[in-house]
Amino acid sequence: MKNNLSYPWPVVAIYPEKDEFLTRFLEEINRSRLISRLWEKDWTLWKPSPEEVLNRLGWLDAPEKMSAFSPEMTRFAQEVVNSGFEKVLLLGIGGSSLAAEVLSQVFSPISSSGHFRVLDSTVPRAVKTMADLCPPAKTLYLVSSKSGTTTETQALFHYFWYCARAEIGPETAGSHFVAITDPGTPLQALAEGSSFRRVWLSEPEIGGRFSAISPFGLVPASLLGADISELLASARKMMVLCQEETLENNPGAWLAAFLAAAGASGRDKLLVWVDPGLSRLGDWLEQLIAESTGKEKRGLVPVVGEEELLDLVNLPDVCLIGIGSSSFVSEIIKNKTMDAKTPAIFLSCRPEAEIGAMFYLWEWAVALASSFLKINPFDQPDVEKTKVRTREILEKIKKEGSLPLLRGGVASEKIKLFGFQPPTTMAEALSLSTEQARSASYLALLSFLAPEKEIQARLIELKKMLVRGVRRPVTLGWGPRYLHSTGQLHKGDKGLGFFWQLVAEDADDFMIPDFPPGEAGWLSFGQLKEAQARADYETLLSLNRKIIRLDLGKDIIGGLEELHQMVASALES
């Protein structure tokens, strides 16, 4: 395919070339002054009321505002190195962690022997693994939460605070902790009262998933050795381009028009293929797009993947988005299997030099595209449903000490499956599940398992097999992380998805210490994880979503192997 048009950086190509797919949206951006209205913070772009809109636009000029903090962040990073820390462990979830994960892939650690890690899981095995890798004496802990009350972040902090006090003493523990939060939150008060090394306060008018260009992204970037001034210069360059009223010079307008056209034409599954060297950007985009647009029975479904996406490009309800180096993008464009009629957009990105620009471009474009959908991209009205049910389940655990087992379902040698009534055999249930997946809008694998390499590899293999077998988009979400991102879409869209929740028994579990120290905890990480998984399962059922729950038992790898074999057989039948 040859593209003869010239697009503003970093847009490399758009297919089909400037036809009716994009034209009316570009014309509407121009005719209705959408660019200037966005910069004027005109809330009527999205809703008739300014509630939860006008106080969520602080990200618009964040690249300029954050410049004043660049020297301070650089000095702080050097102080951390000089203090002898060898590791940094970020405790956070969703918007408080995903940008940091992207940056940890892009930049080098704070020293040659250093390492930067993110923990956003309540699975006991994941927590224990990270605790072993990051001993308190050598580790600086970043406690990252916009609200300062995030359940997962609180639990993780309590555990690592307990570990630090036990190993290095209560007098020293505080110097190994840093808080990143909004002003006036309980986390700020806790950090100041516990003698944290530093408290970084973010702009309250920047929502979590729009917070990459804020202390939530920039403090981790500084500790990763990034040049904060250059990162912000990249973001400012994109900010200036997104103010251009001349559409030909505004990359945000082109991307917003593409996203709006995708939604309006029924091509609402966005196949996102990111350069392997920037793969974690896909996770960040997944939250930004899904949680911003997935509400009021509409939304764009990001489907992050690799070569298997090429098996889906000829479907009538998909678009393709390619992001990466010029050579990576060129290879996708040249791929002969892609239907020239399938809408596609390709963006170039040199990670270290342009990641700030890429963050800003997508935040701006998703916000503008949401105006065409007539939704508020800054709220998350349906996320609370699972949170409410989780609190109810936790209260039950606190009173009764445990959670009743699910009844019914079917079983094989290693797996139990719930969600089919009346009960049938496992083979029949999986055969029916794969058949239903073929007619679903998308299939979502929801994994409440430890995100370890072997488990990840097997789930990705299962995902690719399902894509090729059912010929429908398949997503892979990690619980509880996805509850703060795609969980909004799952509950707020048209309800045509099909969900496979994967859980397992915890071979080893341990208690979450209470805070302040000295009181015995009443809840374990395994119970918290199970409460979150059960709450989402029950919430999706209550909303009439199609869902099955697959319990792999204690032998997780063995259970995944059996599941793989049984799904393969079901696809062949």
Side-chain angles (χ1 to χ4, degrees), residues 282-298:
D283 297 328
W284 180 82
L285 285 172
E286 189 174 53
Q287 179 187 31
L288 179 68
I289 297 168
E291 196 171 22
S292 297
T293 69
K295 57 199 73 170
E296 300 183 36
K297 296 185 178 181
R298 64 198 79 172

Side-chain angles (χ1 to χ4, degrees), residues 217-444:
L218 297 176
V219 172
S222 70
L223 295 172
L224 284 157
D227 185 322
I228 301 301
S229 61
E230 290 186 4
L231 193 156
L232 289 172
S234 166
R236 283 198 304 274
K237 179 180 178 181
M238 183 57 68
M239 184 180 75
V240 171
L241 289 174
C242 288
Q243 294 177 40
E244 285 280 352
E245 295 284 350
T246 305
L247 296 182
E248 287 77 8
N249 300 327
N250 189 325
W254 284 94
L255 180 55
F258 183 89
L259 297 174
S265 65
R267 291 182 173 273
D268 55 352
K269 266 67 74 178
L270 309 180
L271 308 180
V272 181
W273 192 355
V274 183
D275 195 323
L278 196 55
S279 60
R280 292 177 186 173
L281 181 65
D283 297 328
W284 180 82
L285 285 172
E286 189 174 53
Q287 179 187 31
L288 179 68
I289 297 168
E291 196 171 22
S292 297
T293 69
K295 57 199 73 170
E296 300 183 36
K297 296 185 178 181
R298 64 198 79 172
L300 301 173
V301 183
V303 183
V304 180
E306 298 174 345
E307 290 87 350
E308 77 276 7
L309 298 178
L310 295 174
D311 292 306
L312 303 173
V313 293
N314 294 328
L315 295 176
D317 59 345
V318 305
C319 292
L320 180 64
I321 299 172
I323 308 171
S325 66
S326 297
S327 59
F328 174 80
V329 168
S330 296
E331 283 301 312
I332 303 179
I333 293 174
K334 285 191 284 187
N335 193 296
K336 301 297 184 184
T337 65
M338 196 178 91
D339 186 342
K341 296 180 181 179
T342 301
I345 188 168
F346 300 96
L347 308 173
S348 67
C349 179
R350 295 175 297 135
E352 286 196 23
E354 297 169 353
I355 189 61
M358 192 57 56
F359 281 145
Y360 193 89
L361 170 65
W362 277 97
E363 289 176 357
W364 195 92
V366 167
L368 186 60
S370 296
S371 70
F372 288 97
L373 296 172
K374 296 302 178 186
I375 56 174
N376 177 3
F378 311 115
D379 67 358
Q380 45 281 330
D382 300 297
V383 167
E384 189 64 21
K385 289 182 171 67
T386 291
K387 289 183 179 180
V388 169
R389 184 58 186 139
T390 299
R391 288 194 288 269
E392 294 171 350
I393 292 173
L394 290 176
E395 189 61 31
K396 189 176 186 67
I397 292 174
K398 190 172 185 178
K399 288 180 179 179
E400 302 179 10
S402 63
L403 191 62
L405 297 175
L406 287 174
R407 298 185 179 278
V410 294
S412 60
E413 182 181 347
K414 297 181 180 293
I415 306 171
K416 294 178 182 177
L417 185 151
F418 301 90
F420 280 101
Q421 298 295 332
T424 181
T425 67
M426 179 68 77
E428 290 172 345
L430 285 174
S431 178
L432 181 57
S433 294
T434 54
E435 189 59 35
Q436 289 182 346
R438 291 188 173 99
S439 58
S441 177
Y442 60 94
L443 172 62

Side-chain angles (χ1 to χ4, degrees), residues 58-59 61-73 200-204 206 211-219 228-229 231-233 235-236 239:
W59 55 273
D61 55 1
E64 285 186 345
K65 285 186 176 180
M66 286 294 105
S67 295
F69 297 94
S70 176
E72 190 177 358
M73 290 180 179
W200 289 95
L201 298 179
S202 187
E203 167 58 60
I206 298 178
S211 66
I213 310 298
S214 82
F216 288 104
L218 297 176
V219 172
I228 301 301
S229 61
L231 193 156
L232 289 172
R236 283 198 304 274
M239 184 180 75

Side-chain angles (χ1 to χ4, degrees), residues 269 312 315-317 428-444 465-474 496-500 546 566-573:
K269 266 67 74 178
L312 303 173
L315 295 176
D317 59 345
E428 290 172 345
L430 285 174
S431 178
L432 181 57
S433 294
T434 54
E435 189 59 35
Q436 289 182 346
R438 291 188 173 99
S439 58
S441 177
Y442 60 94
L443 172 62
M465 180 175 67
L466 284 165
V467 165
R468 291 168 179 139
V470 303
R471 295 287 172 171
R472 293 302 302 153
V474 182
L496 302 178
F498 186 20
F499 306 94
W500 291 16
K546 292 181 180 178
M566 298 188 76
V567 170
S569 297
L571 291 170
E572 292 172 359
S573 62

Side-chain angles (χ1 to χ4, degrees), residues 77-317:
Q78 189 58 54
E79 172 199 317
V80 170
V81 174
N82 294 341
S83 298
F85 290 105
E86 297 179 7
K87 301 174 186 294
V88 176
L89 177 60
L90 188 148
L91 311 175
I93 200 161
S96 299
S97 66
L98 287 169
E101 281 207 335
V102 178
L103 294 163
S104 72
Q105 187 179 26
V106 171
F107 297 106
S108 302
I110 60 174
S111 68
S112 58
S113 60
H115 209 90
F116 187 105
R117 295 179 182 271
V118 173
L119 179 59
D120 60 359
S121 176
T122 53
V123 178
R125 187 164 160 175
V127 178
K128 182 63 167 60
T129 296
M130 208 60 73
D132 291 342
L133 290 170
C134 301
K138 299 179 179 180
T139 303
L140 181 72
Y141 301 96
L142 302 184
V143 187
S144 184
S145 170
K146 178 176 172 62
S147 68
T149 59
T150 310
T151 298
E152 297 88 345
T153 307
Q154 284 184 325
L156 294 170
F157 163 67
H158 290 180
Y159 177 72
F160 285 96
W161 180 255
Y162 172 85
C163 292
R165 284 172 58 91
E167 182 173 321
I168 60 179
E171 298 81 10
T172 308
S175 65
H176 285 241
F177 286 80
V178 171
I180 308 173
T181 189
D182 278 3
T185 66
L187 177 56
Q188 180 188 3
L190 182 153
E192 292 173 348
S194 301
S195 302
F196 275 26
R197 174 174 290 270
R198 180 68 191 255
V199 179
W200 289 95
L201 298 179
S202 187
E203 167 58 60
E205 294 190 354
I206 298 178
R209 58 187 173 275
F210 287 81
S211 66
I213 310 298
S214 82
F216 288 104
L218 297 176
V219 172
S222 70
L223 295 172
L224 284 157
D227 185 322
I228 301 301
S229 61
E230 290 186 4
L231 193 156
L232 289 172
S234 166
R236 283 198 304 274
K237 179 180 178 181
M238 183 57 68
M239 184 180 75
V240 171
L241 289 174
C242 288
Q243 294 177 40
E244 285 280 352
E245 295 284 350
T246 305
L247 296 182
E248 287 77 8
N249 300 327
N250 189 325
W254 284 94
L255 180 55
F258 183 89
L259 297 174
S265 65
R267 291 182 173 273
D268 55 352
K269 266 67 74 178
L270 309 180
L271 308 180
V272 181
W273 192 355
V274 183
D275 195 323
L278 196 55
S279 60
R280 292 177 186 173
L281 181 65
D283 297 328
W284 180 82
L285 285 172
E286 189 174 53
Q287 179 187 31
L288 179 68
I289 297 168
E291 196 171 22
S292 297
T293 69
K295 57 199 73 170
E296 300 183 36
K297 296 185 178 181
R298 64 198 79 172
L300 301 173
V301 183
V303 183
V304 180
E306 298 174 345
E307 290 87 350
E308 77 276 7
L309 298 178
L310 295 174
D311 292 306
L312 303 173
V313 293
N314 294 328
L315 295 176
D317 59 345

